[in-house]
Amino acid sequence: MNCRSEVLEVTVEARQVEEAMLALLHTILLHRSTGKFHYKKEGTYSIGTVGTMDIDCDFIDFSFVRVSSEELDRVIRRAVSEFKDALGNSGSDGMGQISLEFYQKKKSRWPFSDECIPWEVWSIKVNVVNLANEQERQICREKVGEKLGEKVINVVEVINRHEYLPKMPTQSEVDNVFDTSLKDVQPYLYKITYQITDSLGTSVSTTMRRLIKDTLAL
Amino acid sequence: MDSDLSPQDKKDLDKFIKFFALKTVQVIVQARLGEKICTRSSSSPTGSDWFNLAIKDIPEVTHEAKKALAGQLPGIGRSMCVEISLKTSEGDSMELETWCLEMNEKCDKDIKVSYTVYNRLSVLLKSLLAITRVTPAYKLSRKQGHDYVILYRIYFGEVQLNGLGEGFQTVRVGVVGTPVGTVTLSCAYRTNLAFMSNRQFERSAPIMGIIVDHFVDPPCGVQRPANVGHPCNYRAPDEDDGGLFAGVQDSQEVCTTSFSTSPPSQLYTSRLNYHPPALAGAADLSHPAANPNQVMHRSATGQFTNAPTSSQPRITLPLFLLCSGDDDGMSQSGEGRSVSPSDPVESLNAFTRKIGAFVNKPTTQMTAANLDLPFAAFAPRGLDSEENDPMVTPPDSPACPSPLQASLHSQGSESSGQQDDFVMVDFRPAFSKDDLLPMDLGTFYREFQNPPQLASLSLHISSQSMADDLDSLPEKLALYEKNIDEFDAFVDMLQ
């Protein structure tokens, strides 16, 4: 099975990085989250309900919808915050990329660790720009809002192609497909990683890969 | 085309498409209310949330959608459209966007209805939630108020895009293949937002009337045009209406929340009888079902009974208080329109049974009460008895409207006294929390908008004082020169 890979690119001001990333990551996760599964006897299961909420951005003329789950929001915010800090530390005209990868676990026999097989990867490339005055910032605020709207349309278009999705698992297999650690919603297993590129266009010497959702490690 | 589809699958598919259409309308209209929407996730399935999404149902919107559908389903050549337009306080209006739910001929015969189609429709609804925040009308709707309001109109049939002006853009939300055709959801939105004040189609017979009782009610016998627009707001029912749109209600029919991990083909063998309500037309909704096994939720909700003609005064709720995010605040009330079923089987049916689809249910539990429920075979087990089950014998509905609704009603009646033919909306100043208090921020603004002018700023007084000053100037100068030594000493002291 080939992993589906999509790349989104945005150019933002430094203070807009966090909201832009949250908007796109939450939009993707909205589509890749279901309600909690409740397995019953005889192989049936029922699915909980996913609530949604509107979020207004402060630095971008944009609003987006995310899943009503404070736990999930905290995890995403933590990842985005680390990415933003890394971008900020890399230099004034840094570039970076944050990736949201959905994967399945495949059990392996001891002593091998479980295999993580990605089936969809979203990469968001970020170019950070500095603006000289307030007028430019105001224009940027609106332009970035429009661009994010286009990206949301791109995301929706890809997702609605209804390409490969992992099969609905049995109860014993559910943790190989879904992240069941949250109380209220159940996203597909995912991990968020990022890379920072300095202004020379080369990766920093120690590529910083932070796994927010760890795979099983020996 | 349907020869390969089992009767059960066909019924399920029809039901999915019907409720998908209703939920689509709800999502679109709620996205244009001008407020942020917030619904809660629930880890336990409630059985009433179609497509596993928490989307509240505004009764008026559901009513309008069902009226437009008139028992039909979106099909090939029959699209369901939601038109969003803007109307200013001066009476100018402009179509902003048209959302279309269409079906084309491309079939996917191998797709599993109860599982894959359902899940894909759920994803499509999520996409709709996302896209409704992206089109230009969203920002306009968030700023509606004094200057303009946002209206919606639902119609069924051929898509009309003429009112969107030149250069309108189209965005496709998504498609879902089914064995009977492909469901397509798209939006065409206006890009040219320049207003034309003299509209050739506005002055004589407006394309849309405003169904808000801010305006003068039409005299008896005057029929509202069939294609009327509704404001994206609504008010609590007043007493005359008898609670036509009593509260926000859960979906009138149960929805699928239960699935099987067994191969999909096994899902159908364990389902028992299923009798969906006939989709013959609105009349079906207002009369006792010919099939006593059909659940009509009229008694629980008081809706769909002898729906009034369009000349009945509309009811509205304040736009801003719509999304309180609280289901309970909008719970059942307004029993005026309830039908007392005489048929004992009907009375047994007269409750809202929340059973998930695909839920295995033993035959013995499939009483007349829930034979009509879709996927009733998969209703949750482990129910001790129907007497103890709160779903079967729900607690009595409150006799009086909920406090929230009562307050909303009183709020609405304040603003309803306007007889002018322009939209009046309650003045709600920024950061104002509660306009129900007697001395709130809005009242303060109104009272102190025109304060009296300061005395020192009035012209004749200032000129008079200037003349006095000039006259007394020589005397003052002489005095200061006399005391010059004192002033010098003071300055030296300061240094």
Side-chain angles (χ1 to χ4, degrees):
Chain A
M1 171 202 41
N2 291 325
C3 173
R4 188 166 57 242
S5 177
E6 303 295 333
V7 179
L8 307 168
E9 199 159 340
V10 291
T11 301
V12 295
E13 232 193 324
R15 63 179 186 168
Q16 297 172 322
V17 167
E18 188 164 359
E19 286 178 339
M21 297 304 102
L22 285 173
L24 294 177
L25 293 175
H26 271 303
T27 298
I28 297 166
L29 279 164
L30 169 68
H31 291 84
R32 293 291 182 238
S33 298
T34 73
K36 295 285 290 181
F37 281 16
H38 296 273
Y39 287 92
K40 300 165 193 171
K41 298 172 191 174
E42 298 177 9
T44 61
Y45 63 97
S46 56
I47 305 181
T49 300
V50 173
T52 58
M53 56 194 301
D54 284 320
I55 304 293
D56 291 337
C57 296
D58 293 326
F59 300 111
I60 311 174
D61 205 5
F62 189 68
S63 300
F64 63 93
V65 178
R66 70 163 172 89
V67 169
S68 285
S69 168
E70 294 310 314
E71 281 181 273
L72 181 63
D73 187 44
R74 270 198 296 274
V75 172
I76 305 304
R77 279 185 183 273
R78 195 166 64 229
V80 167
S81 181
E82 288 182 18
F83 173 63
K84 184 192 78 172
D85 292 342
L87 262 184
N89 294 337
S90 71
S92 56
D93 283 335
M95 288 191 296
Q97 175 176 297
I98 189 167
S99 296
L100 172 61
E101 178 185 303
F102 293 100
Y103 66 94
Q104 267 179 280
K105 275 193 227 171
K106 191 177 166 190
K107 297 281 185 199
S108 299
R109 289 186 193 171
W110 187 87
F112 301 106
S113 61
D114 290 347
E115 210 180 330
C116 293
I117 304 170
W119 52 270
E120 187 175 80
V121 179
W122 297 86
S123 301
I124 307 171
K125 288 188 176 168
V126 181
N127 300 315
V128 180
V129 295
N130 281 325
L131 298 176
N133 57 48
E134 198 54 40
Q135 191 183 5
E136 283 183 20
R137 285 196 193 96
Q138 186 58 36
I139 294 169
C140 180
R141 195 189 154 89
E142 291 166 11
K143 289 283 181 202
V144 170
E146 287 170 14
K147 281 292 170 190
L148 282 181
E150 289 172 22
K151 300 305 163 193
V152 165
I153 293 173
N154 290 351
V155 166
V156 160
E157 188 191 356
V158 168
I159 285 179
N160 277 275
R161 286 182 207 153
H162 300 299
E163 292 170 342
Y164 173 79
L165 275 182
K167 284 190 185 131
M168 284 299 148
T170 58
Q171 188 170 10
S172 56
E173 302 271 303
V174 68
D175 289 316
N176 294 340
V177 175
F178 287 101
D179 173 6
T180 55
S181 64
L182 303 176
K183 282 199 306 263
D184 42 14
V185 295
Q186 191 172 283
Y188 282 99
L189 276 175
Y190 69 95
K191 58 184 158 188
I192 300 176
T193 58
Y194 63 84
Q195 271 180 295
I196 304 297
T197 313
D198 64 17
S199 52
L200 297 175
T202 56
S203 295
V204 297
S205 55
T206 52
T207 301
M208 297 163 68
R209 291 181 70 87
R210 295 293 304 275
L211 300 180
I212 304 301
K213 287 300 294 186
D214 283 329
T215 57
L216 284 176
L218 280 176
Chain B
M1 183 182 299
D2 296 344
S3 57
D4 296 339
L5 205 60
S6 70
Q8 185 62 57
D9 270 353
K10 181 72 174 74
K11 285 172 190 168
D12 289 345
L13 187 59
D14 286 346
K15 201 166 192 64
F16 292 166
I17 292 174
K18 173 188 166 190
F19 279 95
F20 180 76
L22 295 177
K23 288 295 182 183
T24 293
V25 174
Q26 289 287 349
V27 167
I28 293 167
V29 172
Q30 289 178 26
R32 299 292 175 260
L33 287 172
E35 294 259 324
K36 285 164 46 165
I37 304 293
C38 178
T39 56
R40 284 194 287 259
S41 298
S42 167
S43 61
S44 304
T46 62
S48 61
D49 292 322
W50 276 94
F51 308 105
N52 307 118
L53 280 173
I55 299 171
K56 287 181 186 170
D57 286 330
I58 302 174
E60 181 182 291
V61 175
T62 302
H63 175 74
E64 291 301 323
K66 289 191 173 182
K67 202 164 78 176
L69 287 172
Q72 299 178 76
L73 290 177
I76 296 162
R78 299 192 314 267
S79 305
M80 190 190 75
C81 299
V82 181
E83 189 179 278
I84 301 291
S85 62
L86 177 152
K87 180 143 185 149
T88 66
S89 52
E90 286 115 29
D92 292 324
S93 75
M94 178 166 70
E95 283 172 37
L96 298 177
E97 53 188 20
T98 300
W99 298 83
C100 307
L101 178 61
E102 302 170 286
M103 181 90 91
N104 67 31
E105 293 165 346
K106 188 178 169 191
C107 302
D108 185 347
K109 297 225 185 282
D110 298 326
I111 201 168
K112 299 298 176 193
V113 170
S114 59
Y115 171 75
T116 308
V117 171
Y118 187 82
N119 286 335
R120 289 184 180 179
L121 289 174
S122 177
V123 169
L124 187 52
L125 265 183
K126 291 173 182 171
S127 299
L128 182 64
L129 281 164
I131 298 287
T132 43
R133 274 67 175 169
V134 159
T135 54
Y138 180 71
K139 285 179 198 160
L140 287 171
S141 68
R142 289 291 299 270
K143 295 174 190 165
Q144 65 181 302
H146 282 293
D147 297 327
Y148 63 86
V149 287
I150 302 293
L151 308 178
Y152 73 94
R153 178 170 80 100
I154 307 170
Y155 62 91
F156 192 73
E158 220 172 287
V159 180
Q160 300 156 23
L161 299 178
N162 298 331
L164 294 174
E166 287 182 6
F168 65 85
Q169 299 275 359
T170 307
V171 59
R172 193 168 78 167
V173 181
V175 296
V176 172
T178 77
V180 300
T182 297
V183 174
T184 307
L185 187 55
S186 60
C187 172
Y189 60 91
R190 168 184 283 274
T191 52
N192 175 16
L193 293 175
F195 230 116
M196 293 187 293
S197 57
N198 296 322
R199 298 196 156 282
Q200 67 272 22
F201 48 81
E202 270 305 316
R203 296 303 172 207
S204 51
I207 285 181
M208 330 182 168
I210 311 299
I211 308 180
V212 176
D213 59 2
H214 295 128
F215 297 82
V216 176
D217 285 339
C220 297
V222 173
Q223 280 288 9
R224 203 182 307 273
N227 50 351
V228 291
H230 306 266
C232 288
N233 62 358
Y234 65 95
R235 216 168 41 129
D238 56 23
E239 289 166 8
D240 293 338
D241 289 333
L244 177 65
F245 303 121
V248 173
Q249 60 173 50
D250 295 336
S251 63
Q252 293 80 47
E253 300 180 47
V254 296
C255 56
T256 59
T257 60
S258 196
F259 298 85
S260 170
T261 54
S262 52
S265 60
Q266 289 185 11
L267 290 173
Y268 304 101
T269 59
S270 53
R271 281 207 198 101
L272 296 180
N273 294 328
Y274 164 60
H275 300 280
L279 299 172
D284 169 64
L285 300 172
S286 54
H287 297 288
N291 181 349
N293 293 328
Q294 292 184 8
V295 167
M296 304 300 281
H297 294 267
R298 301 186 305 273
S299 302
T301 64
Q303 249 191 293
F304 316 128
T305 53
N306 302 319
T309 62
S310 56
S311 58
Q312 184 153 358
R314 302 299 294 189
I315 55 174
T316 53
L317 267 174
L319 168 66
F320 318 97
L321 296 173
L322 176 61
C323 93
S324 62
D326 181 6
D327 282 330
D328 299 331
M330 306 284 269
S331 59
Q332 301 179 21
S333 70
E335 307 297 327
R337 287 273 170 189
S338 297
V339 167
S340 305
S342 52
D343 184 2
V345 179
E346 187 91 28
S347 61
L348 189 60
N349 294 343
F351 59 87
T352 304
R353 173 91 188 187
K354 297 186 168 69
I355 297 175
F358 314 123
V359 176
N360 278 319
K361 197 169 168 61
T363 311
T364 51
Q365 274 185 287
M366 294 303 294
T367 62
N370 47 27
L371 275 177
D372 55 290
L373 305 175
F375 316 120
F378 297 87
R381 298 175 184 228
L383 301 165
D384 297 331
S385 68
E386 294 197 345
E387 289 78 24
N388 295 334
D389 187 351
M391 293 298 200
V392 175
T393 52
D396 292 334
S397 299
C400 58
S402 67
L404 177 62
Q405 200 157 21
S407 68
L408 290 172
H409 173 59
S410 64
Q411 175 88 11
S413 56
E414 282 174 31
S415 57
S416 68
Q418 303 300 329
Q419 294 297 314
D420 305 327
D421 57 352
F422 56 87
V423 175
M424 280 292 292
V425 179
D426 273 345
F427 173 54
R428 292 179 72 93
F431 315 116
S432 166
K433 269 195 183 174
D434 191 355
D435 277 342
L436 298 177
L437 295 174
M439 188 61 183
D440 68 333
L441 193 57
T443 314
F444 176 80
Y445 278 174
R446 279 189 286 273
E447 284 190 17
F448 296 102
Q449 257 175 356
N450 295 311
Q453 200 172 21
L454 289 173
S456 57
L457 293 178
S458 70
L459 195 60
H460 71 280
I461 293 174
S462 63
S463 60
Q464 188 179 3
S465 64
M466 177 89 83
D468 288 342
D469 284 342
L470 287 172
D471 289 340
S472 64
L473 205 53
E475 289 171 17
K476 285 184 183 167
L477 282 172
L479 184 64
Y480 298 148
E481 279 194 22
K482 198 167 115 183
N483 296 329
I484 199 165
D485 294 331
E486 283 182 36
F487 290 124
D488 285 343
F490 177 71
V491 169
D492 290 335
M493 186 182 71
L494 289 173
Q495 281 174 354

